[in-house]
Every structure is written in C-alpha cells, then in structure tokens.
Amino acid sequence: MNIVGVLLRVFVNVLGATLAIMPNRVFVLCVKGLGFLMCLLDNKRRYNDALTNLHFIYGDSLNLAQKRAIIKRCYQNFAFVILESIRIPKIPYHIHKQRFDIIDEHYVLDSLEKDGSVVLISGHFGYWEALATFLPPRLEPNKMASLGRLTGIDSIDKLIISRRELQGVRFIDKAGAFRNLLKFYTQGNAVAGILVDQSISSNQGVCVEFLGKKASHTPIASVLSRRFNIAIVPVFIDINKDYSRFVMRFFPPIYTPHTQDLASDLAQATQAQADITSKVVRSNPSSWFWFHRRFKDYYPNLYAKKPNR
C-alpha cells in the first residue's frame, strides 16, 4: 500500500473512532456542518439539478422555500451517509441494530422460505447503506451481495469495499455486474441488494413512468426474478430528523411474469418497481437523493438551463 493509502486509512480510522463515541447531538452538528460545506463548495450543478427535478415533478404544488428546504436536507443526508460509513466499523452491531425499527420484514422472510433466494431493490433514499451494514445478519444463512460503483482511486475503493463487506456482504462492482449476479444466484440461497433509482441509458433500460414522468429504469432485478423464479422485495430505510433512528420498511414481493413475451414481462415487473419507488419518494421527498439527472434520457433539454432559483 502506498503512503497516501496508509495515511488515508489512519485518518479514516481515527475519524471513525471519534465520530462513534460522540453524543448524537454533536454528530448531528458534524453532519450539518459537512452538508453546508458540500453545498458551499459545490459548483451548483447538484443544486441546480435537484431544483430542476423538483420543479419538473412538483411544479407549483411546492413553493420555492419548500424546494430549497428539501435540497438542504439532501446535502445533509449525503453528509450523514458519508460520516456514518466512516464510523460504522467502530459501532458494535448490537448497538447499531438498536437504532432500527422494522416494518413488514415477513415479506422478505416468507419469500426466502418459499424461493430460497430473493432480490432486494431499493433506492438512494434515507440510509440506503444500511442494506449492507444492518440487514445481512438478519438474513443468515443466506449469502448477501451489494452492488456499487467504484471511483477508480484504489485507496478510496478499498475503503468503500471494506465498509460494504463489513457484515460479510460480497461487494459487486456495477461494471460487469450482471455476469457476477448470474453466478451468485446460480449458487442458491442468494440475496442481492440493488439500488434501482438512478438513470440508465435508454438502450440498456426499460421505459417506465416514474414520479409521473418517463424515465429509463434498470431491468436487472426483473431479469433475475424471471430467470430464477424468485421474488423482488422492495425495501427502503428512512431517517428521522436528528439521524438517531431509522425505519426499514419492506413491501409486498414482485414477480416477473414468464410468458412468451420477454419484453412485456420485463416491462411489467420493472414498472412495478418504479411504482413503489415513486410511492416511497412522494411519502417523504426530503429523504430522496434529488441530485441525480434521473430524467435526462427522455427529456434531454431538461438540465440544459439553470432553473429559476
């Protein structure tokens, strides 16, 4: 390991240990401070993209002050995910799990009992990283994998992977993910967590209605469900105001149909995933990651101009 990697690891370990022993009110001040700093140092692309998305989806049903409050919370949520990921190795699991309230977990447990494997789908909503840091011990003896995108910077990528694999989760890079997922599910007793709310090129995705607008949506969970005859179980983790507690809610399973019309089968199951994600986002828009250019494939000029701020 080079000297930069060593120094980065030492810094992150020291920072993580410090954050882990802080009272929550002090940790929240760190979250808000980092969120403010991220907004201040941002070149405003993220801010403008988020405001464009909010204008596009909500129009005049939310006023400008409400939209700005949502964006402010987005920066804070992003800061929370970063700082929480840094400190989570220093928080014992028996303490970590006490912060969660779980609703309708039977949907995933029943699906595993019936099918042996399951595909978990979620989005960049609330504390999405908890799919890897909290859930795996509850689903044993099933093996769990988590999809993620690496930065290409070796020292940072090693930190990302180490956090995702903290509870024995297998990290799968999004580059070439489908081949690895097929191998993973062929072995049986498999659970993969997939975030399905980012934009994907229209020639790779399925056209769906998402938040009332056309969008390109990844069909990867639908393909796995159809191929292995297993359920897709949506799960989303929301955060309370002071980042002290989390609600993990599971939703009824989705199965991809298996007819002679593959395209129709995938479209139906993928739209069902978009529907539940839309419902969750609308239930608490402040918890969704509005910075994504989610609608760029079907509205190419949407992000071309600065929104009315």
Side-chain angles (χ1 to χ4, degrees):
M1 182 183 294
N2 60 39
I3 186 64
V4 174
V6 171
L7 292 175
L8 179 62
R9 176 161 294 189
V10 170
F11 171 75
V12 168
N13 284 338
V14 172
L15 178 59
T18 304
L19 292 170
I21 62 174
M22 282 182 178
N24 188 66
R25 65 181 182 277
V26 180
F27 178 70
V28 172
L29 289 176
C30 294
V31 168
K32 291 182 176 180
L34 179 58
F36 175 77
L37 185 62
M38 292 167 69
C39 181
L40 190 66
L41 298 179
D42 194 356
N43 61 10
K44 295 304 178 184
R45 173 179 167 177
R46 284 193 179 92
Y47 182 95
N48 288 335
D49 288 348
L51 190 55
T52 294
N53 285 330
L54 287 164
H55 285 334
F56 189 53
I57 299 303
Y58 288 102
D60 295 332
S61 64
L62 293 180
N63 61 41
L64 188 57
Q66 290 173 311
K67 292 170 183 174
R68 286 173 173 168
I70 290 172
I71 296 172
K72 179 180 178 181
R73 180 70 175 186
C74 280
Y75 279 108
Q76 291 178 3
N77 290 347
F78 194 15
F80 164 76
V81 169
I82 292 172
L83 295 180
E84 180 74 1
S85 296
I86 289 173
R87 74 172 183 166
I88 196 63
K90 306 299 181 181
I91 299 177
Y93 183 77
H94 74 275
I95 294 176
H96 180 48
K97 70 179 183 179
Q98 293 173 7
R99 301 185 291 167
F100 288 82
D101 298 308
I102 307 172
I103 299 175
D104 290 333
E105 189 179 23
H106 66 91
Y107 286 128
V108 67
L109 297 179
D110 292 347
S111 296
L112 285 171
E113 183 176 357
K114 174 178 176 289
D115 303 323
S117 296
V118 73
V119 184
L120 293 177
I121 63 111
S122 191
H124 293 83
F125 181 90
Y127 184 14
W128 65 82
E129 290 289 342
L131 286 178
T133 64
F134 167 73
L135 196 54
R138 303 184 68 87
L139 302 183
E140 292 178 345
N142 293 80
K143 305 180 297 294
M144 189 164 180
S146 174
L147 266 65
R149 181 176 286 112
L150 297 177
T151 66
I153 303 173
D154 184 63
S155 55
I156 294 177
D157 288 345
K158 287 180 178 178
L159 288 172
I160 292 173
I161 294 171
S162 68
R163 266 57 184 173
R164 286 288 183 92
E165 295 186 341
L166 189 64
Q167 297 295 341
V169 175
R170 175 185 170 187
F171 180 86
I172 296 179
D173 191 355
K174 282 190 174 181
F178 185 61
R179 181 184 303 173
N180 288 322
L181 283 170
L182 288 178
K183 293 179 180 178
F184 182 65
Y185 275 96
T186 299
Q187 298 169 3
N189 300 113
V191 180
I194 304 174
L195 304 182
V196 297
D197 59 337
Q198 286 182 287
S199 180
I200 185 172
S201 62
S202 54
N203 63 343
Q204 294 179 320
V206 172
C207 180
V208 299
E209 182 179 290
F210 177 66
L211 295 172
K213 306 294 183 181
K214 290 173 65 176
S216 184
H217 198 103
T218 176
I220 191 167
S222 303
V223 173
L224 292 170
S225 172
R226 189 178 189 273
R227 181 157 185 159
F228 295 99
N229 295 311
I230 56 177
I232 302 164
V233 178
V235 53
F236 293 86
I237 307 103
D238 209 349
I239 308 173
N240 71 348
K241 186 176 181 179
D242 70 353
Y243 299 97
S244 62
R245 295 202 64 80
F246 318 106
V247 176
M248 176 175 282
R249 183 185 295 270
F250 294 86
F251 294 85
I254 299 165
Y255 283 88
T256 305
H258 205 299
T259 71
Q260 297 299 315
D261 191 339
L262 172 62
S264 177
D265 293 347
L266 297 181
Q268 181 176 329
T270 305
Q271 181 62 62
Q273 296 165 57
D275 288 344
I276 191 61
T277 306
S278 296
K279 178 180 178 181
V280 170
V281 171
R282 289 191 182 279
S283 72
N284 188 4
S286 293
S287 284
W288 194 51
F289 202 66
W290 288 92
F291 299 130
H292 291 152
R293 292 189 165 188
R294 185 66 178 91
F295 307 98
K296 63 183 179 181
D297 281 276
Y298 290 96
Y299 306 90
N301 296 320
L302 182 63
Y303 304 97
K305 297 180 180 180
K306 291 184 179 179
N308 180 8
R309 298 171 60 184

